[in-house]
Amino acid sequence: MSDTPFGFGLPPEEPDDGDEGKKKDQQSGGGQGPANPFNFGGLPGAGGFGGGPGGPGADNPFAAMFGSLNPNDLGAAFQQLGQMLSYEGGPVNWDMAKQIARQTVSQGSPDGTKDASVGPGDRKAVEEAVRLADLWLDDATSLPSGAASSVAWSRAEWVEATLPAWKELVDPVAERVGTAMGDVLPEEMQAMAGPLIGMMRSMGGAMFGTQIGQAVGVLAGEVVGSSDIGLPLGPAGKAALLPVNIETFGKDLSVPQEEVRLYLALREAAHQRLFAHVPWLRSHLFGAVDGYARGIKVDTAKLEDVVGQFDPQNPEQLQDALQQGMFQPEDTPEQKAALARLETALALVEGWVDAVVHAAAKPRLSSADALRETLRRRRASGGPAEQTFATLIGLELRPRRLRDASRLWASLTDARGVDGRDALWAHPDMLPTATDLDDPDGFVHREQIDFSELDKMLGEAADKPDLKKPDLKKDEDEGEDENKGDDAG
């Protein structure tokens, strides 16, 4: 702990030579001149979010919020800082996250492409691709269409539509951090440090909001639909594709753009069918994420160090701590089981989509094999935005066993047919486990319990008069008569 109260840094001393000293200090790059009035230092890895060295955010983590910080922007800068410190909402400042995400999108992606409003031509092309994809999928799955509508989104529209799902994913972990920020101070000091704790929680919410906003903004430049990461991020029943990202995705594949769009529409429509007609699946996936998050522990030693050295003039300390990651999974059987459930669930979803889409596309698209392999590698490697979420919530949302799951679903199709394969989604207990992914043949050829005969027997029993519920009142009266007879005897 530093000598100053709670580690607060002292304000810089006035130079001995007054205004002249200030001018020299500003000219030499020292102190806090107008170019950097808050002394915000560099953000590690900011180049990945801000567009590279020298770009927005390269040496100022709040450049997206504060602009260029020239004298004309100082009023807005102070207003933003005030909003940050006065935030009293949940564990993540989602208003800030949305603002940062939109501004990150507006800067363009690292490949130089910019976001743009979707024109009528692209909207029509997406609608036709989704409509045709649904027709093809009718032959590949017993699940009916799950897309009540189809939309073509810009990157900014993807941000707006998916933030509610990110909130559900990130808030549980962020809540743990907010609680830990108050717990690291000794109990006898917490009453006196109330304002500090409140400020730190506000700063923590702002830091999480900034990080999430940057990651969502970058991810908006990579995704091609609403279900790229295997989770239903968009509104239910709405198949969504991003034309600008589809064009970028297919640019170097030597595949006609129409085939690329159609293949991606098949994947989006397949996800929509699964999430629409397996009602327990969404809560199962998000519950698995939440269960894993509850087992994450905060590195209190690192957090104590951050609190002890906390300097309001250098709020990037908290940002740096979040960037480096303060979360570690508990090494317990429960936590390992939660991780296994989540990884298996993601693999089963993505494996089913992979198998179904391949079955629908293979006879119709000459590029089906190449597109399938490209997407498999893309999901396996992830991107910088996915790595940011891994740092923030301690979890990589990637299906590690996608190929194993896809092989298992394909084998089930051969052995039991489309209806028998898809029937496994009726209940989570019927799905393959991680062990089954190790031995797919054993699972495929295992005898399945046939509940139809049992249901038939129960139905027949309910209809038979002689098996109806006994008349307990009549039995009681007969019993009383017998007792009277015994007493008389």
Side-chain angles (χ1 to χ4, degrees), residues 258-429:
E258 294 76 13
E259 289 196 20
V260 174
R261 184 190 303 112
L262 185 51
Y263 194 89
L264 297 175
L266 281 166
R267 288 184 54 82
E268 178 71 11
H271 277 105
Q272 293 295 332
R273 289 187 181 221
L274 193 58
F275 289 120
H277 299 291
V278 184
W280 53 265
L281 183 56
R282 186 186 192 279
S283 59
H284 179 74
L285 286 169
F286 279 74
V289 174
D290 184 59
Y292 180 82
R294 284 198 302 269
I296 290 175
K297 63 182 180 181
V298 179
D299 187 344
T300 53
K302 181 179 291 186
L303 190 56
E304 285 177 1
D305 183 62
V306 172
V307 173
Q309 302 298 324
F310 180 68
D311 180 355
Q313 297 180 14
N314 293 286
E316 75 276 2
Q317 290 173 338
L318 286 178
Q319 180 93 6
D320 188 24
L322 291 176
Q323 182 78 12
Q324 294 176 13
M326 291 188 293
F327 318 116
Q328 301 169 352
E330 292 277 10
D331 189 20
T332 63
E334 294 80 10
Q335 180 69 351
K336 290 178 180 177
L339 179 60
R341 283 195 302 272
L342 177 58
E343 290 184 338
T344 301
L346 285 173
L348 289 174
V349 168
E350 290 296 271
W352 183 88
V353 169
D354 180 81
V356 167
V357 167
H358 186 69
K362 177 69 172 175
R364 300 175 173 97
L365 294 179
S366 60
S367 57
D369 289 332
L371 289 169
R372 182 190 203 187
E373 187 60 27
T374 298
L375 284 161
R376 280 181 166 186
R377 292 179 179 178
R378 188 172 187 257
R379 285 294 284 123
S381 61
E386 283 193 32
Q387 183 55 47
T388 297
F389 285 112
T391 300
L392 285 174
I393 66 176
L395 177 66
E396 293 181 356
L397 296 174
R398 297 208 301 268
R400 299 177 184 276
R401 307 194 64 181
L402 186 153
R403 293 176 187 269
D404 294 337
S406 182
R407 280 194 292 269
L408 187 146
W409 288 118
S411 297
L412 281 168
T413 307
D414 295 337
R416 304 181 189 178
V418 168
D419 291 345
R421 177 201 66 198
D422 293 346
L424 294 178
W425 290 105
H427 193 277
D429 290 344

Side-chain angles (χ1 to χ4, degrees), residues 17-177:
D17 48 356
D19 292 339
E20 287 298 317
K22 292 181 182 178
K23 292 178 181 177
K24 292 177 182 177
D25 195 37
Q26 292 173 9
Q27 292 169 357
S28 63
Q32 297 181 10
N36 195 351
F38 302 115
N39 195 27
F40 286 164
L43 171 63
F49 297 114
D59 53 10
N60 184 345
F62 298 106
M65 290 183 293
F66 295 158
S68 61
L69 287 178
N70 61 47
N72 294 329
D73 293 333
L74 285 180
F78 279 112
Q79 183 180 7
Q80 292 280 10
L81 184 61
Q83 291 173 355
M84 182 195 306
L85 296 177
S86 62
Y87 173 71
E88 296 179 353
V92 177
N93 188 331
W94 286 103
D95 290 337
M96 182 172 290
K98 178 179 174 180
Q99 178 183 352
I100 296 297
R102 292 292 299 262
Q103 292 174 348
T104 302
V105 163
S106 68
Q107 294 168 6
S109 55
D111 62 10
T113 59
K114 297 282 187 178
D115 193 23
S117 298
V118 180
D122 282 331
R123 293 188 188 281
K124 183 178 180 181
V126 166
E127 290 173 1
E128 291 178 350
V130 172
R131 187 182 302 113
L132 182 57
D134 255 337
L135 288 175
W136 289 4
L137 287 172
D138 285 339
D139 296 332
T141 174
S142 62
L143 299 181
S145 175
S149 62
S150 58
V151 292
W153 281 341
S154 66
R155 293 169 179 173
E157 288 172 323
W158 183 89
V159 168
E160 296 277 354
T162 61
L163 273 179
W166 292 121
K167 185 176 189 297
E168 192 172 346
L169 285 169
V170 175
D171 269 352
V173 177
E175 182 66 44
R176 292 179 62 82
V177 178

Side-chain angles (χ1 to χ4, degrees), residues 407-408 411-412 415-416 439-446 448:
R407 280 194 292 269
L408 187 146
S411 297
L412 281 168
R416 304 181 189 178
D439 181 23
D441 290 336
F443 179 84
V444 168
H445 299 293
R446 187 181 307 157
Q448 299 294 305

